[in-house]
Amino acid sequence: QQQVKQSPQSLIVQKGGISIINCAYENTAFDYFPWYQQFPGKGPALLIAIRPDVSEKKEGRFTISFNKSAKQFSLHIMDSQPGDSATYFCAASKSGNNDMRFGAGTRLTVKP
Amino acid sequence: NAGVMQNPRHLVRRRGQEARLRCSPMKGHSHVYWYRQLPEEGLKFMVYLQKENIIDESGMPKERFSAEFPKEGPSILRIQQVVRGDSAAYFCASNRDSLGEQYFGPGTRLTVT
């Protein structure tokens, strides 16, 4: 049962461009939405997270936009750099319930 | 402050053998989670443990898989009689309490030949 759908599966962006990755969820009880960055051979690392009481959260070049009514959230990477090349996963969970549901991942390649 | 540690990093087993994967949480963390990642897929939740207790094992296959987190020592994910379909990367994560950020280990890549 896939509760978090992520797109696109892969993304190629030129250096300096904006990378946009989208996720949609089904369970309205979810109230914690993190994004993880994973480099080859490494474990996922938390990049940025949002709760549904705000519609946007920005940390440096990374921004999460959240649309509660549409049950969608997205990650925007501004001024994308080759070092951002990695696989990005969105996830969702209910507070206090750590059965976190992950999207299938987006492999981002930033070309120099 | 060391992060989450997992060992071995790579494990090769023949069909029918047992695989034991170990996870040491971050210092001060008493909650551990195990996830499985198949190639080109996201992480799938398997089990959530606190010291000496299994809190949620809803993602764990009913047969051949078991997990423990003893009072002393690392958490262990045990797979008995491995099959080729068990080949995957297994990640554990830990946090201080159930509301905190989960920190992931580097994973164990299991290959069943």
Side-chain angles (χ1 to χ4, degrees):
Chain A
Q1 180 187 2
Q2 186 181 6
Q3 295 195 22
V4 180
K5 293 183 180 179
Q6 184 172 347
S7 63
Q9 191 172 12
S10 62
L11 180 62
I12 300 175
V13 173
Q14 289 295 129
K15 179 182 174 182
I18 302 174
S19 303
I20 301 174
I21 304 171
N22 301 299
C23 280
Y25 63 97
E26 299 170 0
N27 190 338
T28 55
F30 288 147
D31 60 1
Y32 177 64
F33 304 91
W35 285 89
Y36 286 85
Q37 179 187 56
Q38 185 179 27
F39 293 105
K42 305 289 186 183
L46 179 68
L47 193 61
I48 186 172
I50 197 168
R51 294 192 183 272
D53 52 343
V54 295
S55 60
E56 186 175 283
K57 182 173 181 180
K58 184 175 181 179
E59 290 184 2
R61 295 185 295 110
F62 301 92
T63 300
I64 297 180
S65 297
F66 184 79
N67 186 330
K68 188 174 180 179
S69 61
K71 293 188 287 185
Q72 295 175 347
F73 57 110
S74 60
L75 175 69
H76 295 230
I77 306 175
M78 312 299 287
D79 188 26
S80 299
Q81 299 296 312
D84 296 331
S85 298
T87 300
Y88 292 81
F89 295 97
C90 63
S93 69
K94 294 178 276 185
S95 292
N97 177 342
N98 287 268
D99 179 5
M100 194 174 299
R101 303 287 174 162
F102 283 81
T106 296
R107 182 174 291 180
L108 172 65
T109 302
V110 181
K111 298 211 164 189
Chain B
N1 184 15
V4 177
M5 295 195 292
Q6 289 187 249
N7 65 81
R9 295 292 309 277
H10 300 273
L11 182 62
V12 180
R13 284 287 178 266
R14 290 200 182 98
R15 277 181 298 171
Q17 291 185 318
E18 178 180 287
R20 280 185 177 236
L21 288 63
R22 286 176 289 277
C23 169
S24 296
M26 283 181 70
K27 186 177 180 180
H29 289 188
S30 60
H31 300 243
V32 167
Y33 313 81
W34 285 94
Y35 295 86
R36 176 164 62 178
Q37 185 179 35
L38 295 170
E40 308 300 322
E41 292 189 17
L43 289 83
K44 297 286 194 296
F45 168 79
M46 297 181 74
V47 62
Y48 162 38
L49 311 101
Q50 293 180 31
K51 282 287 187 180
E52 300 185 275
N53 290 304
I54 295 175
I55 306 302
D56 181 354
E57 56 182 346
S58 58
M60 193 102 93
K62 293 288 187 284
E63 297 178 352
R64 303 188 297 107
F65 285 72
S66 62
E68 61 177 14
F69 189 16
K71 187 176 180 181
E72 301 292 336
S75 175
I76 307 284
L77 178 67
R78 182 182 177 204
I79 311 172
Q80 294 179 292
Q81 300 174 343
V82 296
V83 301
R84 288 230 171 97
D86 296 332
S87 296
Y90 292 83
F91 291 94
C92 82
S94 73
N95 57 10
R96 191 179 300 275
D97 58 62
S98 62
L99 298 180
E101 173 192 345
Q102 292 186 26
Y103 291 84
F104 282 82
T108 293
R109 278 147 187 86
L110 171 66
T111 301
V112 179
T113 62

